[in-house]
Amino acid sequence: MTVHFVRNHSILAALLAAVLCLGLTTGSGCRSVVDTSRDLTELASTPTKPTPEKAAKASSSKASVEVDPAVEAAEMVLAASVVQTSETALRPKHVESRGWYLDHGLPVYQAIAKGSTRWRHAALESLLDQPESPQATLENGAKSTNPEIAATALIGLVRSGHTVESKQLAELIENEQIAFTTKAALLEALAMTSPKQAQPIIQKLFDRRDAIIESAEATDKVTAAALDEQFWISLNTVLDEEQQATMLTDGFANASPQLQVTLLDLLVFHRSFERDAITEHFEQLSPQAVRRLGLWEPYLRSVAPLETLVAQTRSPEFNTRESAIIGLGRDGSAAAQAMLNEIGDKDPALVQVAAVFAWSLVPGHDQWSRLSEASSWRVRLAVAELVPLESKNQAVFARLKDDNSRQVREAMIRRSPELVAQQKRPSALPNAETPRELPILTSEEVMAILDLIETAEHASSETDRMEARRALLLQPEAVLAAVDRAAKPLVAYNNPYLFDVLLPQCHPAYRNLQEATSGDPKLMLSALRKLEDHSRQTALPELVVWRLKAHVEHFTPMTWPVLMEVIRDDQREPAQQIVRRALANDNPQVRIAAYRYIADFPLEDVNSQVRDGLNHEIPNVRLAAIEALASVDGAASINDFVSRLTDTDIDVQMAACRALDTQNDPRGIDHLSRLTYSSSKAVRLKAVQAIAARKRESDIPVLVRALEDETSIRSTAIDGLSSIVPKDQWPETISDAISLEAKCAAWKNWFDRQAGRSQGEFFSPAGAPSQP
């Protein structure tokens, strides 16, 4: 071809038209997907060119076999192309039958929590969105000789809930003609099949992934990284919890920063496992390096300690604040839940959405009803997507199905809560064991069983040991009753048979105790979580708590907080001794738990240790210390409470006001009254809420003055007035039908009318008790 020929535009136009016609008649599909937001390298790899010999065989075999019209129609529906558009490209470049691409806008942790897919295919999704069932089209497409079409059809069947053999998907993943983006989508679908069948297959593919990734890197490094990420996600999906945490922790150190982000997002769902290796990794990096590598937000979501999360929940950067709030949910402790409760309706909607996600990570809470009543439709939509489909949430389902937002209604209906309604209502604690009623033994019977325990381990005759062990195993309730009576002296008793064999067979708590005191960090955390669940259902055997107390030296900063949750409601001597040890712990979360225990169950001789917490650098520690000190030594600590009225944290000031109020010291309410003049709306709101909670008639003037403030504060003041004033004395015009402004005017007029006949009652100075 000469230069003059190329410059002949009419000939060139005719040539292009002929080429296009030829491509349309011989291509495998007629549909194309234009994605201008991504370069081709992000979307698909270049297909392998068939050799002339293979092409000849394929054409001859195709000519000899008749194509089923139904299969051909399915191929046309499922075929897709990705079009490369670039500023430097002379014309768009089509890559046929490679319509899969990764949705970068959906983070891994969100996709897992919502059960969403991240690999997209416009033609398939359009088919699945149709009201008619696409099953016939997908089944015909799975018969296609084009592996790309067959793969897309099989993925569609999996996403529609139909049964697909895991081996079929695995064979396509290993097919060299399949694009690497399609392989990633197949991996995602493989993890959605039966875990029992999929696990060994995914494990085998994972072990051989290096060859697949190396082949992908030769063509497109971006797609290779996405495929490697999908290998980890799919394997994580089919493993049990303990295997997941072990795999993610072991693979973290050698992963690239991009893959580390994914591993951290997978760890969001595993709060109960040890992550010392990952924590040490971040301790070796400077804050600048963590941010530069893009690991700051994933770190907050997954492994950051509570004190770091608390400090970042008010960050001016939304991404940081969002991740810290999600991290509170992953932490799941009582302190973290208290922080989540503070994120109220007045926070920005996106912050509240993050709080909804955080609550979805906390098991067994009762916040869903409150969250479903949020004023923002975005928050209610998040609730509809994340609320557990359990019978106890039926009221939430019904409310969201009738929501005034179409998106919320559709999201709730799409999750089919009707299926839950048809199920039998489960018991409140489905895994709870019926508490055993232990027999009441006399002192002689207790000594007889203890003698048998001694014989079972230390008798010189093998026959005597076997007879004693047989006798003990035949009376497990009596054994438990005997060791419960002698729990304290048995703590230091050296009898491996008792603790390693006999008691674990008599009661499951002793099996968990073995792991909790094993010294293995992974086993310890898992076992302590199980003991925590058991303690919420029924009291642990006292010997278990004594043994935990004897091993406190082996607990780490990660396991100590869980230990405090195990004994949270236990008032027995061993639990109190654990709390006394916790008061000197360096972990702020442990200190907070100890202070809250003391606030509920006051202990003697802990005043000085609790008082030390008043000067801690973390506000929540100071707040908990005030509450504990008010419980154990309130009358003698008034000066300590007064000194905290100038604390830098408003919540600590509020706690000091409550403590002073408990001692009838007027400086508490006086300070709250001063705070209602603050320039900060948040401070004024908290002050009015605290005043309304007192329900004192002497506070009516302050609440009436608050009716001149902003909307949320006025509403709080009206609620306070309604709770203080008897209903038969309310303003006559008050009703739910009138506006907020009208309610404020009615209460102010009511207050003016009271001035003439009840000054002594309603106009006593702020903070002073009403005059008789």
Side-chain angles (χ1 to χ4, degrees):
M1 184 181 294
T2 65
V3 175
H4 298 290
F5 181 78
V6 172
R7 289 177 179 174
N8 191 327
H9 299 292
S10 61
I11 298 176
L12 179 58
L15 180 59
L16 284 173
V19 171
L20 286 173
C21 290
L22 181 61
L24 289 173
T25 56
T26 59
S28 60
C30 63
R31 183 173 298 204
S32 59
V33 180
V34 180
D35 191 328
T36 58
S37 62
R38 297 176 176 84
D39 191 81
L40 179 66
T41 55
E42 291 187 53
L43 306 174
S45 59
T46 305
T48 306
K49 295 183 179 179
T51 60
E53 293 80 7
K54 289 182 179 179
K57 291 179 181 178
S59 61
S60 61
S61 62
K62 188 174 182 179
S64 60
V65 178
E66 288 189 17
V67 179
D68 187 343
V71 173
E72 190 174 23
E75 289 177 337
M76 294 181 66
V77 172
L78 294 169
S81 300
V82 172
V83 181
Q84 177 192 21
T85 57
S86 172
E87 295 179 358
T88 59
L90 294 176
R91 62 181 64 87
K93 179 181 179 182
H94 292 255
V95 182
E96 295 180 0
S97 299
R98 281 165 167 76
W100 289 101
Y101 64 92
L102 180 62
D103 182 0
H104 295 279
L106 185 63
V108 172
Y109 68 93
Q110 287 188 10
I112 292 176
K114 298 178 181 179
S116 303
T117 53
R118 298 173 68 236
W119 287 95
R120 306 289 187 215
H121 189 287
L124 176 61
E125 290 168 7
S126 176
L127 177 64
L128 294 177
D129 287 341
Q130 294 178 7
E132 298 84 6
S133 173
Q135 183 178 0
T137 301
L138 295 173
E139 289 176 348
N140 288 321
K143 301 173 184 177
S144 173
T145 56
N146 184 329
E148 287 284 344
I149 299 294
T152 301
L154 289 172
I155 295 171
L157 287 171
V158 172
R159 293 187 179 183
S160 300
H162 300 290
T163 302
V164 173
E165 289 292 332
S166 302
K167 292 182 179 179
Q168 287 182 271
L169 302 175
E171 290 171 358
L172 287 168
I173 292 172
E174 295 182 309
N175 190 327
E176 295 182 357
Q177 298 181 23
I178 294 287
F180 296 111
T181 47
T182 311
K183 291 178 188 287
L186 285 164
L187 274 171
E188 184 181 60
L190 185 55
M192 297 168 65
T193 59
S194 168
K196 186 176 181 180
Q197 296 179 5
Q199 179 180 346
I201 294 175
I202 295 179
Q203 184 72 63
K204 188 180 296 184
L205 290 169
F206 186 85
D207 295 338
R208 299 205 302 261
R209 75 187 189 283
D210 288 342
I212 301 176
I213 300 302
E214 184 179 354
S215 177
E217 284 180 340
T219 304
D220 179 5
K221 292 185 177 180
V222 175
T223 301
L227 182 58
D228 191 19
E229 175 187 83
Q230 188 58 54
F231 267 111
W232 286 89
I233 296 172
S234 296
L235 181 58
N236 177 81
T237 303
V238 297
L239 295 178
D240 60 45
E241 288 192 10
E242 194 165 338
Q243 291 174 318
Q244 289 171 355
T246 302
M247 177 196 72
L248 297 172
T249 304
D250 293 345
F252 184 84
N254 298 324
S256 65
Q258 180 182 352
L259 182 56
Q260 285 180 341
V261 171
T262 301
L263 301 185
L264 289 173
D265 276 353
L266 294 174
L267 279 169
V268 166
F269 305 95
H270 302 287
R271 68 184 180 93
S272 62
F273 290 96
E274 184 66 69
R275 306 189 186 103
D276 281 348
I278 299 178
T279 305
E280 291 172 2
H281 174 82
F282 280 99
E283 289 176 351
Q284 298 170 3
L285 297 176
S286 66
Q288 295 81 5
V290 174
R291 291 179 181 271
R292 187 174 64 252
L293 294 171
L295 296 173
W296 175 237
E297 281 80 18
Y299 165 72
L300 291 175
R301 291 192 293 265
S302 57
V303 295
L306 181 63
E307 55 269 23
T308 302
L309 299 175
V310 172
Q312 297 300 325
T313 51
R314 292 298 173 188
S315 171
E317 298 179 7
F318 172 72
N319 290 339
T320 297
R321 187 176 180 183
E322 177 189 40
S323 298
I325 290 172
I326 293 172
L328 291 175
R330 178 262 308 163
D331 182 273
S333 63
Q337 293 185 45
M339 287 292 298
L340 288 176
N341 272 323
E342 293 178 6
I343 301 173
D345 293 338
K346 304 309 173 186
D347 282 86
L350 292 179
V351 174
Q352 295 182 55
V353 170
V356 172
F357 190 94
W359 279 117
S360 73
L361 301 175
V362 181
H365 64 83
D366 56 355
Q367 298 293 320
W368 289 113
S369 180
R370 178 182 66 83
L371 295 170
S372 66
E373 297 173 349
S375 57
S376 171
W377 69 269
R378 295 181 184 275
V379 180
R380 300 196 303 275
L381 175 61
V383 174
E385 293 173 339
L386 296 169
V387 59
L389 294 180
E390 300 172 356
S391 296
K392 65 179 182 179
N393 294 324
Q394 286 292 338
V396 177
F397 303 154
R399 184 182 302 119
L400 295 176
K401 283 176 61 180
D402 294 332
D403 197 90
N404 57 14
S405 169
R406 178 181 57 82
Q407 292 94 327
V408 177
R409 294 195 303 271
E410 291 179 352
M412 194 70 259
I413 294 172
R414 190 163 51 245
R415 296 187 65 200
S416 301
E418 291 81 3
L419 299 177
V420 182
Q422 298 171 3
Q423 298 174 1
K424 292 183 179 180
R425 177 179 291 273
S427 58
L429 294 171
N431 297 323
E433 294 187 5
T434 305
R436 301 186 184 187
E437 293 187 6
L438 299 181
I440 299 176
L441 305 180
T442 64
S443 299
E444 291 76 12
E445 290 172 329
V446 171
M447 291 304 301
I449 291 178
L450 294 179
D451 289 341
L452 281 175
I453 292 172
E454 173 72 14
T455 303
E457 176 63 27
H458 299 294
S460 56
S461 169
E462 177 69 20
T463 303
D464 292 342
R465 291 199 298 271
M466 294 302 297
E467 288 295 330
R469 293 179 180 184
R470 185 179 296 106
L472 289 169
L473 290 174
L474 291 175
Q475 47 182 343
E477 285 78 12
V479 170
L480 292 174
V483 299
D484 196 54
R485 288 273 298 273
K488 188 173 182 178
L490 283 177
V491 176
Y493 182 39
N494 181 19
N495 191 317
Y497 172 73
L498 173 65
F499 294 110
D500 298 340
V501 180
L502 178 60
L503 289 178
Q505 293 186 63
C506 295
H507 199 289
Y510 287 99
R511 293 195 291 271
N512 298 327
L513 176 66
Q514 281 183 297
E515 298 177 350
T517 57
S518 65
D520 186 331
K522 297 174 183 176
L523 289 178
M524 289 175 69
L525 260 176
S526 177
L528 284 173
R529 290 294 184 192
K530 294 175 183 176
L531 287 174
E532 178 188 351
D533 292 339
H534 189 284
S535 67
R536 297 292 170 266
Q537 301 165 14
T538 183
L540 291 170
E542 187 172 348
L543 182 56
V544 171
V545 188
W546 275 112
R547 293 282 286 180
L548 290 173
K549 182 265 171 185
H551 287 79
V552 292
E553 298 292 345
H554 303 290
F555 289 107
T556 66
M558 189 67 73
T559 51
W560 252 109
V562 190
L563 174 62
M564 296 302 296
E565 291 298 315
V566 171
I567 63 167
R568 185 177 65 184
D569 301 319
D570 196 327
Q571 302 180 52
R572 292 173 293 187
E573 182 184 353
Q576 294 178 357
Q577 292 194 19
I578 293 174
V579 172
R580 293 177 186 276
R581 295 292 297 272
L583 288 172
N585 198 284
D586 293 333
N587 189 328
Q589 189 176 353
V590 176
R591 295 273 289 275
I592 290 172
Y595 293 148
R596 287 181 173 164
Y597 182 97
I598 292 171
D600 293 334
F601 314 113
L603 302 180
E604 297 180 356
D605 304 326
V606 295
N607 298 3
S608 60
Q609 293 172 288
V610 175
R611 195 169 278 110
D612 289 342
L614 296 176
N615 299 312
H616 199 276
E617 62 271 17
I618 295 180
N620 277 357
V621 179
R622 302 198 296 272
L623 189 154
I626 289 173
E627 294 174 347
L629 198 58
S631 179
V632 298
D633 196 20
S637 306
I638 289 179
N639 291 334
D640 295 306
F641 302 146
V642 172
S643 67
R644 288 296 102 193
L645 293 178
T646 57
D647 196 278
T648 56
D649 187 85
I650 184 61
D651 293 322
V652 177
Q653 295 183 37
M654 294 289 177
C657 290
R658 289 193 295 270
L660 288 169
D661 210 27
T662 303
Q663 300 301 321
N664 294 320
D665 191 303
R667 284 174 286 188
I669 182 58
D670 287 345
H671 186 69
L672 287 176
S673 299
R674 286 193 295 272
L675 291 177
T676 60
Y677 292 98
S678 172
S679 59
S680 168
K681 174 186 172 183
V683 172
R684 297 198 306 274
L685 177 61
K686 288 186 176 183
V688 172
Q689 288 172 337
I691 293 172
R694 295 176 78 240
K695 297 185 178 181
R696 305 277 182 89
E697 290 183 352
S698 58
D699 297 331
I700 289 179
V702 181
L703 295 176
V704 170
R705 176 165 47 80
L707 296 176
E708 303 291 342
D709 213 310
E710 298 189 30
T711 302
S712 58
I713 300 176
R714 283 185 291 165
S715 179
T716 303
I718 288 176
D719 291 341
L721 290 168
S722 301
S723 64
I724 296 172
V725 179
K727 191 168 184 178
D728 57 358
Q729 298 180 26
W730 286 6
E732 295 178 357
T733 57
I734 284 291
S735 70
D736 294 336
I738 64 176
S739 65
L740 179 62
E741 289 74 12
K743 291 179 181 178
C744 291
W747 277 108
K748 284 187 282 189
N749 292 335
W750 172 89
F751 181 72
D752 292 339
R753 289 196 302 272
Q754 305 304 316
R757 58 175 182 268
S758 55
Q759 286 184 333
E761 183 178 356
F762 293 104
F763 283 91
S764 56
S770 301
Q771 298 297 326

